[in-house]
Amino acid sequence: MNEVILGIYRIAQDTPTEEFQASALELVNTVLPFDSCRWGMALRYDGQRLAFESAYQHNEMSGVLDAYLEVLDQDLVGLAAATHAGTTINVNARQLCGDSPGQAAYLDYLCRFRHENMLVTGLVSPSNSAKSLSYYRWGKDDSFTERERQLCQSLFPHMMEALMINLRFGLAQLRSMGGAVKWPLAVCDDNGVILYAEPDFLDLLSAQWPARKASHLPAALVDALIIRRRLEHAADQVVVCVGLRQDRTIYLKARAAHAIDTLTPRELQVARLVAKGMNHKEIAIVLRLSPATVRNHLQRIHDRIGVGSNAELSSQLTMVLP
């Protein structure tokens, strides 16, 4: 098992986030055979039930999460995993539900989506957010053994830690691409669920949206960056940009709003050329403007940002813009 654990941590550091979970699960399958898996990266626990907010589905049947919502209140396995944090639960669906009429719909769901045999492990934080890993075998009589349950329980914390390492490495790569050195970073899924965020990123969001849901991007960011697929959203107190957009994950960077954000597109062009070391005559040639027009632009830029020279302007621009 040690080789598998080392392999999981190794691929966490050199595999893109979009591929990491599939690669890690394929490695686990060499020592713990399973047919499908659900990796819950963000769940909500209210003391009575678990609700998936973000989950990676490995070889799962289409529509399983929508169907789960219909039997959420009957999910005894999820409740057991939440109340026995870190302990793997070994379950056979038919033995669990028996002939109880109150569990008929849940048993039908488990059988329909091939969850008749499962190993489920959950972990609930003090804020009642949760993470989980569920392995399934499709065969009606293909139960997991006690040895496999113990193996699953031993692997669980390593799988979760490796995922966090993988997300942090993704953020480090974004920062190394330049322009985000001083920007707090975060990664979310394509529903706006925050999978990992640096503390300063969360502080910036909370300053602008104090009533936001802790585990989610504010609705304004979901609309602008995910639904409308814009690259940037500027609010009164914060600017949030897309650093990298993948299939299911989005890497974000944020900074406090600045007077530079009030510049017009033309003024911003002029300011960027100043930051490259050009004087007003050189800028006039590049933008095909008269030198006097460029001087007027620069004066308005200085006044708006509150700087007294092009050197100060360049310094401010370097700190704020990528």
Side-chain angles (χ1 to χ4, degrees):
M1 185 179 74
N2 288 339
E3 290 184 4
V4 171
I5 292 173
L6 291 175
I8 291 169
Y9 283 118
R10 182 171 59 252
I11 61 177
Q13 299 180 46
D14 58 22
T15 305
T17 300
E18 293 288 287
E19 303 171 14
F20 163 69
Q21 287 169 296
S23 299
L25 290 172
E26 288 171 4
L27 195 53
V28 169
N29 213 342
T30 63
V31 294
L32 178 63
F34 61 90
D35 295 308
S36 61
C37 173
R38 185 185 305 165
W39 192 331
M41 297 178 286
L43 296 89
R44 184 177 65 259
Y45 178 57
D46 63 5
Q48 296 182 322
R49 60 184 186 175
L50 281 172
F52 286 89
E53 296 183 327
S54 180
Y56 170 72
Q57 300 175 71
H58 183 78
N59 211 25
E60 283 257 72
M61 295 176 64
S62 176
V64 61
L65 287 180
D66 289 336
Y68 175 74
L69 294 176
E70 299 175 5
V71 297
L72 183 61
D73 293 331
Q74 300 176 38
D75 184 8
L76 299 177
V77 180
L79 181 60
T83 54
H84 296 80
T87 299
T88 297
I89 312 295
N90 188 355
V91 177
N92 175 274
R94 296 184 186 276
Q95 292 178 3
L96 172 71
C97 299
D99 297 324
S100 170
Q103 289 292 302
Y106 184 48
L107 177 59
D108 175 72
Y109 158 81
L110 294 175
C111 295
R112 186 157 37 106
F113 291 98
R114 299 178 177 178
H115 291 178
E116 293 195 54
N117 293 288
M118 56 187 125
L119 292 174
V120 181
T121 319
L123 188 63
V124 180
S125 74
S127 63
N128 283 339
S129 63
K131 302 180 186 299
S132 69
L133 258 175
S134 303
Y135 299 97
Y136 308 109
R137 282 182 179 163
W138 296 348
K140 181 173 62 175
D141 300 316
D142 193 8
S143 301
F144 290 96
T145 66
E146 171 60 16
R147 186 194 70 83
E148 289 173 325
R149 187 200 70 79
Q150 293 178 10
L151 177 60
C152 179
Q153 184 169 303
S154 298
L155 285 171
F156 177 78
H158 297 291
M159 297 289 280
M160 293 300 174
E161 177 60 23
L163 176 60
M164 290 299 102
I165 290 172
N166 180 258
L167 293 173
R168 289 195 293 267
F169 263 80
L171 294 179
Q173 290 178 337
L174 173 59
R175 180 162 279 133
S176 70
M177 291 166 62
V181 177
K182 297 179 177 64
W183 292 40
L185 307 175
V187 57
C188 70
D189 72 1
D190 54 2
N191 291 314
V193 177
I194 298 173
L195 303 177
Y196 180 82
E198 296 176 342
D200 288 348
F201 184 95
L202 297 177
D203 289 343
L204 285 169
L205 294 194
S206 296
Q208 177 69 48
W209 297 282
R212 72 178 184 86
K213 192 175 181 181
S215 60
H216 287 68
L217 293 180
L221 291 181
V222 172
D223 179 68
L225 305 181
I226 297 178
I227 297 175
R228 299 175 184 271
R229 297 182 67 83
R230 292 175 178 169
L231 295 178
E232 177 181 297
H233 178 74
D236 294 338
Q237 299 182 52
V238 64
V239 175
V240 182
C241 302
V242 174
L244 178 65
R245 193 189 302 273
Q246 298 180 329
D247 183 29
R248 299 183 309 273
T249 50
I250 304 170
Y251 286 86
L252 304 172
K253 52 187 182 179
R255 62 169 173 80
H258 190 279
I260 286 174
D261 300 317
T262 66
L263 298 180
T264 66
R266 176 64 85 185
E267 289 169 346
L268 189 56
Q269 273 187 309
V270 172
R272 286 186 182 277
L273 293 175
V274 167
K276 290 183 178 181
M278 294 187 185
N279 59 40
H280 72 282
K281 293 181 179 179
E282 292 168 329
I283 294 173
I285 294 172
V286 171
L287 298 182
R288 296 182 179 180
L289 300 172
S290 71
T293 299
V294 172
R295 282 197 302 268
N296 290 335
H297 277 310
L298 282 172
Q299 186 58 56
R300 286 195 296 270
I301 292 169
H302 287 183
D303 292 343
R304 191 171 299 176
I305 296 177
V307 296
S309 67
N310 284 349
E312 288 182 64
L313 171 60
S314 297
S315 176
Q316 291 287 314
L317 206 69
T318 300
M319 289 190 296
V320 173
L321 297 181

